[in-house]
């Protein structure tokens, strides 16, 4: 037995049974991982369900440095000018609804709003091309409503936004102060994928998915649950001026879901007597859905049929998801469309919804 | 202050701060509830998400008493003979996967199998019209595999079944002993809605739905998550003879989900290198889906287009859900179909899948 460090105060020695060694950085552990784990390992941190390839278009990184989507003028050069885009609706990724502390989450949301107003919607918006989303932390509905009230008069904020990750379906009544504020100011409420099953949020599937591809494929499922909740809870009856936008949650699932919900309503309307019409009839007045990532079946005819089934002419609004990996180009995202349908999807529907 | 019950041992009296009063039966509380709560209140018990109207066709209750579907001969008279049905695939509702104790759950499954073999598949099966499902408790995969081995040789058990309620998506590896046993005996694995969000099972949505209509409308979402899990985890590569049946989980969602998954695979196949073909290509060899409750859009053409998109000719098998409230009649469930498609959906596909 070694006698090093034997102090007279502890003549029998000390065994400490809980001491933590740290690698100097994550690369020290990466060196011991084989592929594909080496690339995927990020040293812990945010952890599960991050894109294993890369989350952004590599060509979207500005020449001056920074991540894709961080330089308004480069975005103009790369995205707005080549496609002749009139407005980009900006949805910052604050991820504030991950946090258990609603005050911290609300502070992050407020910081994102100040930043967006000062930069993209302020000094960088000399041509008025950028329209913004008011980020809110839905964990604290009263604080979220105050944040909406604060920014609603701003000329370039056109909607309120949250991520789809949640602890309760969005039709439930704890959220109503948010919807009341949206309706009061005529601002649509946009739901964007993200934080599902992360932080304090429930994973909306029968247990945790294993891979990013599984998690990401299933993002529309949570969207569908939120939409059914909005409708069956009667949110659109309670707040007749309340409107929502489903962003980046898939498109082609809409007909099947509405057919099912309409059939259920026929048998079970007893349970939701506040509804005054068939569930699917709420869509036209209260719901819009953005196109990216647009499903592309092998046969274009199947997509065109689906667009007709879902009333895309009224409900669908184009989105690219720039600068992300699964970007949809205005040029290639859709097959050839009838001119009127194309005009509505690419421009008219959003102009009407956002008052542009 | 009253002096009743003052014993000499307790000269200062006793205040007991936790005593429970019970109503003699649930009707004592019902008397104080107004409608619709009075009808809905069942005294506690199983609790949430039970059908607020009635769960069975009222005309399915046998004249001799008992619930719908409890009298084989009445079922013959009411259902089999009028429609000219060759075989009914029976799926008992054991609900065993609600229970935290896997031994109890396994015992319930075994009891249901003994009962089914002795009655519906035994003494009441003089014409061989009934084919059965081996109920398993997926909480204990090794015990479930033993139960499958026990019954696999029976001439009338044609598949294994579980409810969709679960604590992990069905593609995950803890379930593999079950799939190995199914593949070994050539028995399809049927998944039926139920117990989602009940007992020990996770509710596969972003928090608990409020109403039965919401919970029931969203049942296909959990099915979709299970299917994506089966495919992305490579279960059909690992067990090439393993086949599944998705029963009563909706139909029309299939095209949209497969389009999305195929697109994700194109970008993210790096993550699931065990897949040797596009995700949707696993369906034809490994997946069948039953028809009830069939979505019925206002326009029949939309349904016919959807059936074509989903390859119904290969994948779809008729089911009625007798004796339940949302029963689909062989006569009225579908619009007019091409003869060959009708023959495949109503008979050929199931004959091939179950070896009938």
């Amino acid at each position: 037995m070694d006698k090093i460090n034997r102090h007279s105060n502890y003549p029998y020695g000390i065994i400490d049974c809980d001491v933590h060694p740290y690698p100097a950085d994550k690369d020290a552990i990466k060196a011991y991982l084989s592929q594909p784990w080496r690339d995927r390992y990020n040293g812990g941190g945010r952890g599960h369900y991050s894109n294993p390839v890369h989350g952004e278009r590599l060509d979207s990184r500005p020449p001056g440095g920074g991540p894709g989507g961080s330089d308004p003028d480069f975005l103009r050069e790369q995205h707005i000018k080549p496609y002749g885009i009139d407005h980009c609706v900006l949805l910052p990724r604050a991820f504030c609804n991950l946090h258990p502390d609603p005050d911290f989450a609300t502070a992050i949301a407020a910081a994102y709003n100040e930043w967006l107003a000062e930069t993209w919607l302020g000094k960088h918006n000399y041509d008025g091309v950028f329209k913004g989303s008011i980020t809110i932390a839905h964990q604290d509905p009263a604080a979220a409503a105050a944040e909406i009230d604060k920014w609603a008069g701003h000329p370039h904020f056109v909607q309120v936004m949250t991520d789809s990750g949640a602890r309760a379906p969005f039709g439930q009544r704890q959220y109503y102060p948010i919807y009341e504020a949206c309706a009061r100011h005529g601002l649509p409420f946009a739901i964007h994928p993200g934080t599902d099953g992360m932080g304090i949020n429930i994973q909306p599937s029968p247990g945790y998915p294993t891979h990013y591809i599984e998690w990401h494929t299933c993002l529309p499922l949570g969207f569908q649950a939120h939409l059914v909740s909005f409708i069956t809870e009667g949110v659109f009856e309670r707040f007749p001026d309340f409107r929502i936008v489903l962003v980046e949650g898939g498109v082609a699932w809409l007909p099947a879901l509405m057919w099912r919900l309409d059939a259920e309503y026929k048998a079970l309307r007893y349970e939701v007597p506040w509804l005054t019409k068939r569930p699917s009839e709420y869509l036209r007045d209260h719901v819009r859905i953005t196109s990216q990532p647009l499903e592309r079946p092998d046969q274009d005819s199947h997509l065109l049929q689906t667009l007709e089934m879902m009333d895309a002419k009224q409900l669908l609004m184009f989105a690219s998801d720039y600068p992300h990996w699964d970007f949809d180009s205005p040029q290639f995202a859709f097959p050839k469309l009838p001119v009127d349908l194309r005009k509505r999807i690419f421009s008219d529907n959003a102009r009407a919804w956002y008052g542009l």
Side-chain angles (χ1 to χ4, degrees), chain A:
Chain A
M1 187 185 170
D2 273 351
K3 298 294 175 194
I4 53 165
N5 292 327
R6 173 67 46 88
H7 298 285
S8 57
N9 286 357
Y10 304 100
Y12 304 106
I14 294 176
I15 293 168
D16 179 350
C17 295
D18 185 16
V19 171
H20 304 286
Y22 280 89
D25 58 35
K26 67 184 175 185
D27 290 336
I29 296 302
K30 273 178 179 262
Y32 292 89
L33 283 166
S34 57
Q35 292 293 27
W37 320 117
R38 185 181 299 170
D39 279 356
R40 214 179 292 179
Y41 184 69
N42 69 2
R46 209 170 124 224
H48 50 204
Y49 312 130
S50 56
N51 191 305
V53 185
H54 44 77
E56 60 182 7
R57 279 171 50 181
L58 297 180
D59 71 341
S60 72
R61 295 179 187 159
S70 65
D71 178 335
D73 283 328
F74 182 66
L75 189 151
R76 279 187 177 86
E77 291 306 317
Q78 184 173 52
H79 184 58
I80 291 177
K81 287 183 190 169
Y83 296 117
I85 292 168
D86 297 301
H87 291 291
C88 291
V89 179
L90 303 174
L91 294 102
R93 308 298 300 118
F95 299 112
C96 57
N97 68 332
L98 287 167
H99 298 286
D101 179 349
D103 291 324
F104 183 31
T106 299
I108 295 170
Y112 260 84
N113 293 331
E114 293 276 3
W115 164 77
L116 198 72
E118 191 174 316
T119 55
W120 290 75
L121 303 183
K123 65 186 175 198
H124 299 305
N125 205 18
Y126 44 80
D127 50 5
V129 73
F130 297 125
K131 298 294 172 183
S133 308
I134 302 169
T135 296
I136 55 110
H138 65 242
Q139 300 100 306
D140 188 339
E147 189 70 15
I148 295 167
D149 288 339
K150 176 178 171 189
W151 292 107
H154 189 287
H156 294 305
F157 276 117
V158 296
Q159 68 183 1
V160 173
M161 76 168 285
T162 193
D163 285 358
S164 50
R167 290 179 293 178
F170 284 151
Q172 293 186 6
R173 51 198 86 176
Q174 60 271 39
Y175 300 114
Y176 290 179
I178 301 171
Y179 308 152
E180 203 167 20
C182 288
R184 186 161 62 240
H185 299 293
L187 292 169
F189 181 68
I191 301 158
H192 184 282
T195 74
D196 307 74
M198 299 181 184
I200 57 171
N201 296 317
I202 290 169
Q203 170 58 36
S205 54
Y208 283 94
T210 303
H211 300 101
Y212 179 82
I213 186 175
E214 182 185 358
W215 178 82
H216 196 269
T217 298
C218 292
L219 285 171
L221 307 182
F223 269 63
Q224 292 175 65
H226 283 311
L227 178 59
V228 172
S229 174
F230 273 122
I231 295 174
T232 57
E233 295 272 5
V235 174
F236 303 126
E237 288 289 340
R238 190 181 289 257
F239 306 109
D241 296 327
F242 180 61
R243 298 171 295 140
I244 66 173
V245 186
L246 303 175
V247 182
E248 203 183 337
V251 170
W253 49 261
L254 190 62
L257 184 73
M258 287 299 112
W259 297 338
R260 182 173 174 97
L261 181 52
D262 279 351
E264 302 259 346
Y265 178 66
K266 214 163 144 184
L268 301 168
R269 64 175 68 188
Y270 164 85
E271 216 184 8
V272 286
W274 38 81
L275 299 189
T276 60
K277 49 192 175 187
R278 293 208 303 180
S280 63
E281 291 176 33
Y282 288 95
L283 297 182
R284 189 176 282 217
D285 289 339
H286 298 280
V287 180
R288 292 296 178 270
I289 185 164
T290 66
S291 60
Q292 182 278 340
L294 187 70
E295 296 87 351
R296 285 302 299 266
D298 292 342
Q299 297 182 44
D300 285 344
S301 61
H302 290 171
L303 178 61
L304 296 173
Q305 288 164 355
T306 303
L307 294 178
E308 203 240 316
M309 293 173 191
M310 67 171 280
D311 195 12
K313 201 167 181 172
Q314 299 291 338
L315 304 184
L316 194 60
M317 310 196 296
F318 173 75
S320 75
D321 196 29
Y322 182 96
H324 287 155
W325 63 286
D326 49 353
F327 170 82
D328 269 357
S329 148
Q331 204 173 351
F332 301 116
F334 283 82
K336 192 166 166 49
L337 297 177
V339 173
D340 180 49
L341 181 59
R342 186 175 175 88
K343 188 163 169 288
R344 281 167 166 269
I345 294 172
F346 277 78
S347 177
D348 292 356
N349 288 346
R351 282 186 192 282
W353 205 244
Y354 292 124
L356 297 174

